Amino acid sequence: MMAYSEPAARAVAEEVARWGGMRQTGVTLRYMMEFGARPTERNLLRSAQFLRKELPIRIARRALDLDSLPFGLSTKPAILKVRDWYLDSFRDIRCFPEVRNRDDELAFTEMIKMIRVRHNNVVPTMALGVRQLKKDLGGTKAFPPGIDEIHQFLDRFYMSRIGIRMLIGQHVALHEPDPEPGVIGLISKRLSPMLVAQHATEDARAICMREYGSAPDVNIYGDPDFTFPYVKLHLHLMMFELVKNSLRAVQERYMNSDKHAPPVRIIVADGAEDVTIKLPNYVFVGTPISVRTFLVQISDEGGGIPRSGLSRIFTYLYSTAENPPDLDGRNEGVTMAGYGYGIPISRLYARYFGGDLQIISMEGYGTDAYLHLSRLGDSEEPLH
């Protein structure tokens, strides 16, 4: 964070307040696909000009939110660090000169790429701040009334973060000199959920093998030729988190048992209204909308979730991890159990494009996750 003199800091605060009060502009997926299908120099210039005006509004709003959190959360060191990242990014964009030509556009693109990297660790750093607050409050059993306000803020905050990173990522990806066939920026027009499920499963099993020395099998069912338009990065993130959680549940239930660990099952179904992905332990379900969606179901026999715990799985204030990872380098890479943000964040990714995540669990047996995902390109609803 750049150090400011008191007058300069006051000026920045006033500028942030002014931009944070402006109305953000919604962008539809159909527009992004049609616009991105022609990444001409003129279109890329228009995109950069739009982002130079739009990103400061969205970033300023988040910076203001971070300064007004309840229960003293705004004063936690980790939250202050995140706020400073947003202030630095706001300043970088506002100080960037008007984008007039190709050289300006390329320089602007490099700058927002750096902003995206700066914000890579926002989620774990925010989680660390919440962890600091929980410690100060004496643990989850001592939460005061109104603590749900923090969960509601984090839902809004992370949904906005998804939108900001989608806008930046789409613009940056349109500069790819040799894009894959059928890919427009971040959007794959013919994405295979079966292939994504396979890759996400391989990644999750590798982590399980690293931590436990073995990993349950994963069986994937569905039409291998089925494709639909979606953002590959988002689908991989959701499926990876859900499969990882299922593997952990099964592994920990059977690791000291003479019984063979049952496989985790993934079912991909394409329907007239839903594309569903069923995963053990979790379910993403699309809300009834006018566009076609698909369903992915993930199922496991990891013992299920107690009824008293079901209401907590989508919150950011609880985690089953006994020792969440720190950010000081002692814990490297992805772990099987982190801050407990995988499920609520996955639901936000599903909802970002009009889908949802639902979880059905039978304590003593296992859990199903249903992921309903909308086919992109049909919706005229503006994105967050």
Side-chain angles (χ1 to χ4, degrees):
M1 173 69 181
M2 176 180 288
Y4 296 101
S5 64
E6 186 173 340
R10 189 181 308 114
V12 170
E14 292 174 355
E15 185 82 345
V16 168
R18 184 170 72 87
W19 279 81
M22 297 181 184
R23 184 176 181 179
Q24 72 179 48
T25 302
V27 181
T28 67
L29 235 305
R30 176 173 292 180
Y31 177 79
M32 291 181 72
M33 293 181 69
E34 292 175 351
F35 185 89
R38 302 181 303 278
T40 61
E41 183 176 323
R42 179 173 179 269
N43 278 351
L44 291 174
L45 185 64
R46 290 171 55 199
S47 174
Q49 291 168 342
F50 168 75
L51 292 178
R52 181 175 172 271
K53 294 180 179 178
E54 181 65 18
L55 290 177
I57 297 174
R58 298 181 181 224
I59 291 172
R61 287 185 171 189
R62 303 291 74 79
L64 291 173
D65 285 345
L66 288 167
D67 256 342
S68 57
L69 298 177
F71 305 106
L73 183 57
S74 293
T75 65
K76 302 306 174 189
I79 305 301
L80 292 173
K81 178 184 288 189
V82 174
R83 184 207 61 184
D84 287 348
W85 289 340
Y86 276 81
L87 291 176
D88 284 347
S89 298
F90 175 83
R91 181 207 65 221
D92 288 347
I93 300 174
R94 289 293 299 132
C95 291
F96 196 91
E98 190 171 347
V99 180
R100 298 178 180 273
N101 53 49
R102 175 169 171 77
D103 288 341
D104 293 343
E105 188 273 322
L106 290 175
F108 178 83
T109 300
E110 288 302 312
M111 186 262 292
I112 61 175
K113 283 170 65 176
M114 293 302 298
I115 287 177
R116 184 175 59 177
V117 171
R118 174 186 291 150
H119 291 252
N120 278 348
N121 284 328
V122 161
V123 173
T125 308
M126 289 292 294
L128 181 58
V130 173
R131 182 182 171 195
Q132 292 166 348
L133 175 65
K134 287 165 62 176
K135 183 178 180 180
D136 291 348
L137 292 176
T140 57
K141 293 182 179 180
F143 280 169
I147 197 71
D148 284 348
E149 186 180 343
I150 290 178
H151 167 75
Q152 294 164 7
F153 157 76
L154 290 172
D155 254 358
R156 295 192 307 269
F157 181 86
Y158 290 132
M159 182 67 87
S160 173
R161 180 177 183 270
I162 293 171
I164 291 172
R165 293 181 75 82
M166 182 68 195
L167 289 176
I168 292 177
Q170 180 70 2
H171 178 83
V172 170
L174 289 176
H175 289 75
E176 176 62 44
D178 189 24
E180 297 179 31
V183 175
I184 302 174
L186 296 178
I187 305 166
S188 298
K189 295 172 66 178
R190 294 182 295 276
L191 182 64
S192 167
M194 294 285 288
L195 191 58
V196 175
Q198 179 182 332
H199 292 162
T201 293
E202 291 170 355
D203 291 345
R205 291 190 79 246
I207 294 171
C208 190
M209 289 287 293
R210 185 186 71 197
E211 296 205 9
Y212 297 106
S214 63
D217 292 332
V218 178
N219 297 333
I220 305 174
Y221 305 92
D223 181 358
D225 297 323
F226 166 60
T227 63
F228 78 117
Y230 209 76
V231 176
K232 180 179 179 180
L233 182 68
H234 290 191
L235 182 56
H236 183 279
L237 181 148
M238 292 183 284
M239 296 185 73
F240 169 76
E241 287 293 340
L242 296 176
V243 173
K244 177 167 66 76
N245 286 343
S246 288
L247 290 174
R248 177 190 171 211
V250 173
Q251 183 69 22
E252 293 190 349
R253 187 184 190 195
Y254 288 90
M255 61 190 305
N256 295 319
S257 171
D258 294 333
K259 297 180 180 179
H260 181 70
V264 169
R265 298 174 302 281
I266 301 176
I267 303 171
V268 178
D270 175 26
E273 292 187 357
D274 294 310
V275 178
T276 303
I277 303 177
K278 181 178 184 293
L279 304 99
N281 278 5
Y282 308 95
V283 180
F284 282 104
V285 181
T287 51
I289 48 180
S290 58
V291 300
R292 291 188 65 191
T293 61
F294 80 93
L295 174 67
V296 177
Q297 178 183 1
I298 299 181
S299 303
D300 70 52
E301 297 175 34
I305 304 169
R307 187 171 62 175
S308 61
L310 277 175
S311 63
R312 299 179 176 181
I313 59 178
F314 286 114
T315 76
Y316 305 94
L317 302 173
Y318 302 89
S319 173
T320 56
E322 295 182 1
N323 297 296
D326 294 321
L327 296 176
D328 56 10
R330 290 197 300 269
N331 296 277
E332 297 180 0
V334 179
T335 61
M336 290 299 285
Y339 283 102
Y341 277 29
I343 299 174
I345 290 290
S346 294
R347 183 169 69 170
L348 291 182
Y349 272 98
R351 288 180 170 179
Y352 183 71
F353 289 129
D356 207 349
L357 169 63
Q358 293 176 344
I359 297 189
I360 301 174
S361 186
M362 180 183 295
E363 185 179 7
Y365 181 74
T367 310
D368 288 343
Y370 294 89
L371 172 61
H372 291 253
L373 302 172
S374 304
R375 299 172 185 271
L376 306 189
D378 295 332
S379 177
E380 293 290 353
E381 291 294 320
L383 303 176
H384 294 269

